[in-house]
Amino acid sequence: MNLEEKNTIFKPLYSLKHSPIEAYFSKNSEDFVVREKALYEFSGTGEHLILHICKKDLSTSEAVSILSQMSGEKIKNFGYAGLKDKQGTTFQYISMPKKFKSFLNDFSHPKLKIVEIFTHHNKLKIGHLKGNSFFIRLKKVSPLNALKIKQAFTILENQGFANYFGYQRFGKFQDNYSEGLEILKGKKVKNPKLKNFFISAFQSELFNRYLSKRVELSHFAKDFSEKELAQIYNLSKSEALFLKKQKHFFKLLKGDVLGHYPFGKCFVCEDLETESQRFLKKDISVLGLLLGERAFKTTQGLAQNLEAEIFSPFNEFIPQMQGSRRFMWSYLEKSKMDYDEKKAHLCLEFFLQKGSYATTILEELLHQNFD
């Protein structure tokens, strides 16, 4: 598929192999709840207020706009750690200058509540969060489909999941990445935030395509013989054999960029035997490329060749992007499932590290698209 074809939508490859499971999901305030977990404890002193807010069917930008209008403070002086979905009920932290505290005494809004107020010494910035807890209610779930979901959910709990960027990153028509490519080619966009958003979507598209290629390799390693793997990927017999021997679904390659999970410095995978054992224990994970100048690029062998297939056609644009690495394989934490057969409701709860998408989990479980 040509990345420049705007009318083609790339669909990532699932790590689980099963037929689509019937269940109804609506991202509304009763059935979809997100709770942001702060990266650190707030100090209790300083010139910034930290508002713990609860919003229903409002985007983060809309919530900030409401607070700005009612306080009289400029939007640029508000801070937040992450953008949250408009649909559903979301709890998150918003910072603003302490001098506007008095307006909170009479604050009232039908879709926005202030749950708690803290004081802190700095403004919140993007990334100042550990992650998010999710509550999702699925409806019209038969007992048989509940069993299928439970089996799939258990696998994800144990093995982890392919950490794709969710559809939200790519826009209503799933073509934000192509707009980003046009900008890199010279198209002028006056709004710098919008420009960066589209370029980020382009980087995310490439990341998803590479991750999908690695999920495919992992399936092949399970389904094909050592001889067939050696032929497909031009590997030595010993390399193909070790792909087969790895106990975890997502296969590591010599030359992969790894990182201590969930936070840690990048390093290159040189000892596959050792790193495979650490991967099994969830101590480390594999990092995929977000194309750009500052990205950790050291890879070799098959890992380098597979990366080159996806990213090399766009190397000329590297100077225009910062770049980084992002975990390709991530894990559910504090996961829980509850099924009410009488109501045909199935409720899922789990925590994801920052940057991971709950809809990615749903798509993997149900093999349905939510775009």
Side-chain angles (χ1 to χ4, degrees):
M1 186 185 296
N2 190 332
L3 192 68
E4 301 187 39
E5 294 177 10
K6 292 188 177 182
N7 294 325
T8 57
I9 297 176
F10 171 72
K11 296 296 183 185
L13 189 65
Y14 299 121
S15 63
L16 301 181
K17 284 189 174 182
H18 59 71
S19 301
I21 301 173
E22 290 186 12
Y24 176 76
F25 172 63
S26 174
K27 197 186 273 190
N28 59 65
S29 59
E30 298 297 325
D31 299 332
F32 185 70
V33 181
V34 185
R35 296 178 184 272
E36 183 177 272
K37 184 173 179 58
L39 185 61
Y40 42 70
E41 289 187 11
F42 302 116
S43 63
T45 61
E47 295 304 312
H48 296 269
L49 293 178
I50 307 293
L51 310 181
H52 188 199
I53 67 168
C54 172
K55 60 185 185 65
K56 291 188 177 183
D57 301 322
L58 289 173
S59 67
T60 299
S61 298
E62 288 170 335
V64 169
S65 181
I66 290 168
L67 292 168
S68 173
Q69 291 170 11
M70 298 184 75
S71 67
E73 177 58 297
K74 295 179 181 178
I75 287 179
K76 68 178 183 179
N77 292 329
F78 286 83
Y80 45 83
L83 294 169
K84 296 293 182 287
D85 291 322
K86 178 172 182 174
Q87 295 85 10
T89 298
T90 56
F91 293 79
Q92 73 174 117
Y93 297 96
I94 303 286
S95 70
M96 64 180 297
K98 188 177 180 180
K99 63 183 179 180
F100 288 91
K101 185 175 183 179
S102 59
F103 102 93
L104 298 174
N105 296 330
D106 300 316
F107 179 83
S108 179
H109 191 277
K111 292 187 176 182
L112 177 60
K113 307 294 181 186
I114 298 173
V115 182
E116 296 175 281
I117 303 173
F118 304 91
T119 307
H120 197 54
H121 56 268
N122 64 264
K123 176 182 177 181
L124 288 178
K125 294 183 179 179
I126 291 291
H128 285 196
L129 75 160
K130 183 177 181 183
N132 299 285
S133 293
F134 295 91
F135 168 85
I136 295 171
R137 181 184 287 112
L138 302 176
K139 297 179 178 178
K140 302 179 183 179
V141 182
S142 69
L144 177 59
N145 285 329
L147 179 60
K148 290 179 180 179
I149 294 171
K150 181 179 180 180
Q151 291 172 338
F153 194 58
T154 300
I155 293 173
L156 292 189
E157 286 178 305
N158 294 330
Q159 77 171 21
F161 63 93
N163 193 29
Y164 291 113
F165 283 99
Y167 70 87
Q168 303 93 321
R169 176 70 62 133
F170 303 108
K172 183 178 180 180
F173 301 105
Q174 300 291 281
D175 61 355
N176 284 348
Y177 69 90
S178 59
E179 187 68 19
L181 181 56
E182 291 302 313
I183 291 169
L184 291 169
K185 289 180 175 180
K187 181 178 179 179
K188 301 299 180 184
V189 176
K190 292 182 179 180
N191 186 325
K193 286 188 177 181
L194 198 59
K195 175 182 175 181
N196 291 336
F197 174 76
F198 284 129
I199 290 176
S200 177
F202 168 74
Q203 294 170 301
S204 302
E205 177 76 7
L206 293 183
F207 176 94
N208 275 8
R209 291 181 182 228
Y210 178 65
L211 175 51
S212 189
K213 183 174 285 289
R214 291 297 298 270
V215 171
E216 179 184 61
L217 179 148
S218 299
H219 279 304
F220 283 3
K222 183 179 178 181
D223 298 336
F224 290 87
S225 68
E226 297 98 292
K227 184 177 180 180
E228 290 169 322
L229 286 172
Q231 292 175 336
I232 293 170
Y233 293 108
N234 193 27
L235 299 173
S236 68
K237 184 177 180 180
S238 61
E239 288 174 320
L241 179 61
F242 193 74
L243 271 182
K244 293 287 293 183
K245 283 176 60 179
Q246 292 181 41
K247 295 180 181 178
H248 37 82
F249 166 76
F250 192 83
K251 307 307 180 188
L252 303 188
L253 301 174
K254 192 170 184 179
D256 268 334
V257 177
L258 306 176
H260 298 279
Y261 186 85
F263 308 107
K265 292 183 179 180
C266 299
F267 63 97
V268 177
C269 179
E270 296 178 346
D271 184 345
L272 271 173
E273 191 96 34
T274 298
E275 304 306 350
S276 177
Q277 291 303 312
R278 296 171 73 194
F279 185 77
L280 263 178
K281 296 176 183 177
K282 304 179 182 179
D283 291 337
I284 61 168
S285 190
V286 190
L287 291 148
L289 179 62
L290 292 171
L291 192 64
E293 278 196 314
R294 297 185 183 179
F296 193 106
K297 300 182 181 69
T298 305
T299 55
Q300 57 184 307
L302 180 57
Q304 187 177 54
N305 294 338
L306 292 177
E307 255 193 14
E309 287 182 32
I310 300 297
F311 297 100
S312 289
F314 308 101
N315 282 347
E316 65 183 286
F317 305 120
I318 287 176
Q320 300 182 55
M321 299 177 284
Q322 286 192 345
S324 63
R325 288 272 172 178
R326 177 180 189 264
F327 285 117
M328 288 196 288
W329 199 255
S330 193
Y331 302 97
L332 297 174
E333 300 174 38
K334 300 177 182 178
S335 50
K336 183 179 172 184
M337 191 186 105
D338 182 61
Y339 178 56
D340 186 330
E341 184 175 346
K342 187 175 181 180
K343 292 183 178 179
H345 289 179
L346 187 146
C347 297
L348 300 171
E349 295 181 44
F350 49 86
F351 175 84
L352 299 179
Q353 294 290 332
K354 65 181 179 181
S356 296
Y357 293 78
T359 48
T360 295
I361 304 300
L362 277 185
E363 290 183 354
E364 182 71 85
L365 286 174
L366 304 180
H367 286 194
Q368 296 182 26
N369 295 319
F370 294 99
D371 52 2

